[in-house]
Amino acid sequence: MTAIAAATAASTLAACGGSDDGGGDGGGGGGGDASANEASDIGITEDSIKLGAHFPLTGVAAPGYSEIPTGADAYFDCLNEAGGVNGRTIDYIYRDDAYNPTTTSQVVNQLVLEDEVFAIVGGLGTPTHSAVLDFLNSEGVPDLFVSSGSLLWGADPETNPYTFGWQTDYESEGKIIGEYIAENFPDAKVGLFLQDDDFGEDGEAGIRQYIDDQIVAAERYTPGNTNVGPQIAALQAAGADFVVGFNVPSYTALSQLTALQLGYDPQWFYSNVGSDPTLVGNLLNNFSQGTVSDASLLDGALTTDYLPTVDEPDNPWVQEFQRIWDECGGDGELTNYRIYGMAQAYTTVQALQAAGQNPTRDDLIEAIEIAGGDWEGPVLAPFRYSEESHMGTAGMSISRITGDTTEQVEPVQLTDIGDAPIEDFDGEPAEVPENGIPNEESVMD
Amino acid sequence: MSDLQSPANTTAEGRTTGSKTAEEAPTEATAGADQPTASRRRSLLPQSTLLRHLLVLLLAAVGAVVLLEITDPFTNSQLATLTYYAIAAGGLTVLTGMNGQISLGHGALMAVGAYTTALFLSADEPLPLPLILLAAIVTATAVGALVGVAAARLHGPYLAGATLALAVGLPGLAIYFHDVLGGEQGMRVRAPRAPEAFESFISAVSGNSATNTKWLAYLGAICLLITYFLLANLIRSRIGRTWRAVRDQEVAAELAGINLGAWRVLAFVVSAAAAGLAGGVLALVVRLAAPSGFTLVLSLALLTAIVIGGLGSLLGALLGSALLVFLPPFVTDLGAGWGLDNTEAAQLAPFVYGVVLIVAMIFAPAGVVGTLRMRWLTRQAKRSAAQSSRG
């Protein structure tokens, strides 16, 4: 570690020296070492790259989601200790928007105009990030890997050329769930429990492509209204024996408690967003005032995955992330949300490496469009990045929650929005590179 | 509700100490009290209220241009945020400080203005911006009139409860009519681009680049100045005096032939109009109208702004709004400077805001502007009392 630090310091000195004797002729570099670094765009200096993000660190959405940036932060810390990207350290700034779009617009203004970040990475939330979509694209700030599965981020790269999605979109997720039910539960009477916004709508659109005739009821809840009794009772009355929920974690807990009160026991299937067992367990404990103490209610429920999870301690990626969290993380345990943040940070580093030695903001976008579709990493299925699509990963596996662990019941499936077919993913899980740091070639030289 | 009571109490105090000292003593501790005696002293300013306000408006406009041109783009965007808070707080301070009605529902009225603006701007060929903002004002005024009629019959905690229901319930409409109003993720707003005249104005004034952020800050500042000019005139007029009469002594006001209900409704309507305009500016600056932007927290923030600044004072409303906008990022950066991680630093901001509020309550119960003005008036009164006793 000391040797690396010394080397970084030396190269930093060299870089500074280089810029002193006339910065104009330094452009011809292109070697792999840090001495060829220059401040190629806003937020990039010879020895650092500044990245920004907005997350709910306080307020109702903070439980769970506020852990994502701590995971990313730990990953970048370990990366910086190992030498950073092309000799530059990552300076990661994340700010609190309390899941309020008005605040999001203020903090992103601050990140872009005052902190002068090179790119925004992993901004969380559909309503919150919507507020800054136009601003980032009109200012030409790369808006990478939005933490939301809305179609807004990637389906229309002509309108939003600087924005990229990351996680599986809700429509593709709905399609994969729909096909799984059609094949494995052809006689089930399916009820849908949906959040009344794009999340529920996209999910429903996907799932109806496969099992429209099996669906006996579709009930919607309004976020903020904590009484889901009418919806669950309506699903029960419609005779649904298989309920698919496109809902956030707090509504997983609420639906479970309500069903318990009503004596309703269908097969549950929660989409990825609402199924984190640890968080749902805490929420159940909270809402039931201690009567239900863990996520045992979720036993036997099905869910989807696009990332390895903490309940797979044998997975090499989880082991590597555990090491990074132990070495560079803060207080608390490694959670699925922190893995999410680290995986996002991993993709970010891939993008920065692909963008070359001295990238501009536009180089970064072009590099993701050229190379992003081939990147491998902790995410189970490849991304769909190209000039035509800025959608994130396209695939998911399906697993069953049993006690504290999950068992996979269906391997990774690949699909896309619209009427794209669903296929088995035949690729191998990616191997963990040394130190958990990717090694992508520059595609911009 | 003690906020509402406090001006009345301090008023009584002010009156007793006042009558003890001299004729010109302060009769009002509220920041909103206008003092003809005090203004008569300022010989530099014109006698006519309208001329005086026009002069202040002109100075403020020059000040705004200077401020927006010497600050960096981020501060420009913060100032744009400040303008919509200040417009809404200005309207609220007229309602609460001048007329003694409390409203926890101004966030919802801002939502009305914001959604109206978003709807008009989403048209294929949107109307000119001033017309759209006017429409936002008119819609919010209509809603305000409706609420005002109910509010005029209510007092203190009941009024707070009724307006609270508005703040909680109204944003829900956006989710219920999600096909038109965009549901939870709201309606995205594309602010019209700056006219060419603006670009040439900026390049003539300072040579800075006329960015969209700057244009929105100017737009907000123009709306703010016009609103405050109109409100200031209203406060100094017969209408303002009647409002204060209704606030301070209902019985006396009624005996003087004032229809309490009608004047209360009028105060609510004026205040709703300001909230509507603030909502319109908010939609343009934030580029979004979404229910999660108009939670109860917004209404409470406006109320704390006018309490900290000084009830009934437009300057106080402006100061309180500035605190809302500038304090959280300042504290967060301070926390980060102390070596807290970003999450802890973010959690520091609401804490410090609460502490500031409590400190203001203890040391400046009439708000910053109110307390300063009270001190100044008391000193004036003492001096003149000393003079008269000497002479």
Side-chain angles (χ1 to χ4, degrees):
Chain A
M1 217 45 90
T2 335
I4 293 167
T8 320
S11 58
T12 311
L13 284 175
C16 292
S19 73
D20 277 344
D21 49 44
D25 60 344
D33 62 327
S35 59
N37 281 353
E38 36 181 292
S40 47
D41 206 334
I42 297 168
I44 289 204
T45 67
E46 285 147 1
D47 51 13
S48 73
I49 300 175
K50 210 182 257 190
L51 301 175
H54 63 88
F55 285 96
L57 306 177
T58 61
V60 283
Y65 291 153
S66 65
E67 291 171 4
I68 294 176
T70 61
D73 205 27
Y75 182 88
F76 287 132
D77 278 352
C78 268
L79 172 82
N80 290 343
E81 278 178 29
V85 179
N86 286 331
R88 291 189 182 93
T89 55
I90 305 279
D91 184 3
Y92 178 61
I93 309 170
Y94 57 98
R95 293 190 180 275
D96 178 32
D97 65 8
Y99 212 70
N100 175 346
T102 316
T103 321
T104 311
S105 132
Q106 287 165 28
V107 296
V108 169
N109 270 330
Q110 189 175 9
L111 288 167
V112 171
L113 300 174
E114 190 185 52
D115 300 328
E116 300 194 318
V117 296
F118 179 60
I120 298 287
V121 175
L124 187 140
T126 308
T128 44
H129 202 74
S130 294
V132 295
L133 189 61
D134 286 345
F135 171 69
L136 292 175
N137 279 285
S138 66
E139 296 275 321
V141 181
D143 176 22
L144 310 185
F145 316 142
V146 182
S147 304
S148 144
S150 166
L151 302 181
L152 275 175
W153 323 127
D156 187 9
E158 256 178 54
T159 317
N160 300 311
Y162 289 91
T163 302
F164 288 83
W166 187 71
Q167 66 189 62
T168 311
D169 64 275
Y170 303 133
E171 187 182 326
S172 300
E173 184 171 9
K175 287 172 67 178
I176 291 172
I177 294 173
E179 195 204 39
Y180 175 77
I181 295 173
E183 282 179 4
N184 296 282
F185 298 88
D187 303 323
K189 290 185 213 158
V190 178
L192 301 180
F193 179 63
L194 307 164
Q195 178 157 307
D196 199 0
D197 61 8
D198 265 24
F199 174 28
E201 248 167 60
D202 291 352
E204 183 182 6
I207 207 166
R208 279 198 189 272
Q209 284 192 27
Y210 288 86
I211 52 164
D212 199 22
D213 50 345
Q214 274 183 264
I215 292 172
V216 293
E219 290 297 319
R220 292 171 180 79
Y221 72 88
T222 306
N225 181 357
T226 53
N227 179 13
V228 294
Q231 287 89 339
I232 303 296
L235 291 172
Q236 189 178 21
D241 53 15
F242 193 114
V243 175
V244 183
F246 275 88
N247 54 269
V248 292
S250 48
Y251 283 84
T252 304
L254 286 170
S255 61
Q256 285 296 322
L257 288 174
T258 310
L260 194 64
Q261 281 167 356
L262 295 173
Y264 179 42
D265 189 24
Q267 169 67 50
W268 294 93
F269 195 131
Y270 287 104
S271 73
N272 181 278
V273 169
S275 68
D276 183 65
T278 323
L279 181 62
V280 171
N282 286 338
L283 291 168
L284 278 171
N285 191 2
N286 222 331
F287 293 164
S288 66
Q289 291 167 344
T291 322
V292 179
S293 61
D294 56 19
S296 58
L297 275 180
L298 278 184
D299 231 11
L302 295 160
T303 184
T304 50
D305 285 311
Y306 53 88
L307 275 176
T309 52
V310 280
D311 50 40
E312 304 164 53
D314 298 332
N315 183 303
W317 284 102
V318 176
Q319 287 169 351
E320 182 63 19
F321 287 145
Q322 184 69 54
R323 178 194 69 80
I324 290 172
W325 182 250
D326 291 342
E327 281 177 24
C328 306
D331 297 333
E333 296 291 308
L334 181 71
T335 60
N336 287 339
Y337 291 103
R338 292 193 167 119
I339 289 185
Y340 182 102
M342 290 187 193
Q344 227 170 25
Y346 185 92
T347 315
T348 308
V349 173
Q350 286 178 311
L352 290 171
Q353 287 174 340
Q357 181 88 26
N358 290 309
T360 62
R361 284 172 164 173
D362 289 344
D363 289 345
L364 183 65
I365 300 303
E366 205 183 326
I368 301 172
E369 286 179 347
I370 294 174
D374 303 324
W375 292 337
E376 296 185 334
V379 179
L380 302 178
F383 300 105
R384 284 167 278 179
Y385 302 141
S386 70
E387 271 183 51
E388 287 77 38
S389 170
H390 285 185
M391 303 293 289
T393 179
M396 286 192 140
S397 66
I398 294 176
S399 54
R400 185 184 292 276
I401 301 170
T402 50
D404 287 338
T405 62
T406 54
E407 57 168 322
Q408 202 176 68
V409 295
E410 172 137 304
V412 180
Q413 306 282 307
L414 277 188
T415 185
D416 201 346
I417 50 175
D419 48 12
I422 298 178
E423 294 157 3
D424 288 335
F425 174 57
D426 50 9
E428 291 291 307
E431 286 188 19
V432 184
E434 196 188 346
N435 285 332
I437 298 170
N439 197 8
E440 299 294 333
E441 295 283 317
S442 165
V443 293
M444 298 306 295
D445 294 331
Chain B
M1 290 329 90
S2 55
D3 306 345
L4 263 188
Q5 306 300 328
S6 61
N9 294 342
T10 40
T11 306
E13 273 169 35
R15 210 166 272 147
T16 39
T17 50
S19 55
K20 263 182 227 155
T21 44
E23 287 292 314
E24 293 137 305
T27 55
E28 289 279 358
T30 324
D34 66 335
Q35 289 297 321
T37 41
S39 57
R40 215 178 294 146
R41 287 170 190 282
R42 287 182 228 135
S43 50
L44 280 175
L45 289 171
Q47 283 287 320
S48 152
T49 309
L50 186 65
L51 278 181
R52 200 168 63 236
H53 286 168
L54 274 174
L55 190 68
V56 173
L57 176 71
L58 196 71
L59 288 176
V62 173
V65 172
V66 171
L67 189 63
L68 284 170
E69 289 313 311
I70 58 168
T71 52
D72 58 277
F74 173 58
T75 314
N76 275 339
S77 80
Q78 282 185 307
L79 289 169
T81 308
L82 169 63
T83 58
Y84 65 73
Y85 276 125
I87 293 169
L92 187 61
T93 210
V94 164
L95 181 71
T96 307
M98 288 285 123
N99 196 229
Q101 301 187 74
I102 193 168
S103 168
L104 296 177
H106 263 53
L109 293 170
M110 285 176 76
V112 172
Y115 272 100
T116 310
T117 309
L119 279 173
F120 273 99
L121 275 175
S122 66
D124 289 336
E125 280 181 32
L127 296 167
L129 199 55
L131 278 184
I132 293 179
L133 288 176
L134 204 63
I137 297 175
V138 169
T139 323
T141 308
V143 176
L146 215 65
V147 180
V149 169
R153 300 164 161 271
L154 300 170
H155 280 276
Y158 305 103
L159 180 56
T163 49
L164 177 70
L166 184 72
V168 174
L170 202 72
L173 285 181
I175 296 170
Y176 190 79
F177 297 107
H178 57 86
D179 291 339
V180 188
L181 299 177
E184 182 64 27
Q185 66 223 29
M187 302 180 68
R188 280 196 283 140
V189 177
R190 271 173 205 274
R193 297 211 67 82
E196 279 174 26
F198 175 71
E199 280 165 35
S200 47
F201 168 75
I202 292 298
S203 63
V205 169
S206 68
N208 289 341
S209 64
T211 58
N212 219 23
T213 309
K214 203 179 263 300
W215 160 238
L216 290 171
Y218 270 93
L219 195 73
I222 292 167
C223 292
L224 175 69
L225 290 174
I226 293 175
T227 310
Y228 273 29
F229 175 68
L230 295 177
L231 287 178
N233 281 331
L234 209 58
I235 289 172
R236 299 290 148 123
S237 69
R238 195 172 75 90
I239 297 172
R241 283 192 296 278
T242 315
W243 278 340
R244 283 194 292 278
V246 172
R247 173 194 68 188
D248 289 340
Q249 267 298 342
E250 281 184 19
V251 178
E254 219 166 1
L255 283 174
I258 295 171
N259 181 347
L260 298 183
W263 285 94
R264 286 208 178 105
V265 175
L266 182 66
F268 212 100
V269 164
V270 167
S271 165
L277 178 62
V281 175
L282 180 147
L284 294 172
V285 171
V286 178
R287 298 177 171 85
L288 183 81
S292 42
F294 302 100
T295 53
L296 187 58
V297 176
L298 175 63
S299 301
L300 292 176
L302 292 175
L303 208 57
T304 49
I306 62 168
V307 169
I308 290 180
L311 278 182
S313 153
L314 291 178
L315 183 62
L318 188 66
L319 285 179
S321 311
L323 205 64
L324 279 185
V325 176
F326 291 103
L327 189 68
F330 174 74
V331 170
T332 307
D333 288 347
L334 208 63
W338 289 338
L340 297 177
D341 71 36
N342 291 356
T343 313
E344 291 163 342
Q347 288 160 349
L348 197 63
F351 170 74
V352 170
Y353 190 73
V355 170
V356 167
L357 188 61
I358 293 170
V359 168
M361 293 284 190
I362 294 173
F363 295 103
V368 177
V369 173
T371 304
L372 286 181
R373 187 177 291 180
M374 197 162 65
R375 289 249 169 92
W376 186 75
L377 288 174
T378 316
R379 218 178 50 209
Q380 293 281 317
K382 275 188 186 149
R383 192 180 300 156
S384 62
Q387 272 170 1
S388 59
S389 66
R390 230 180 289 135

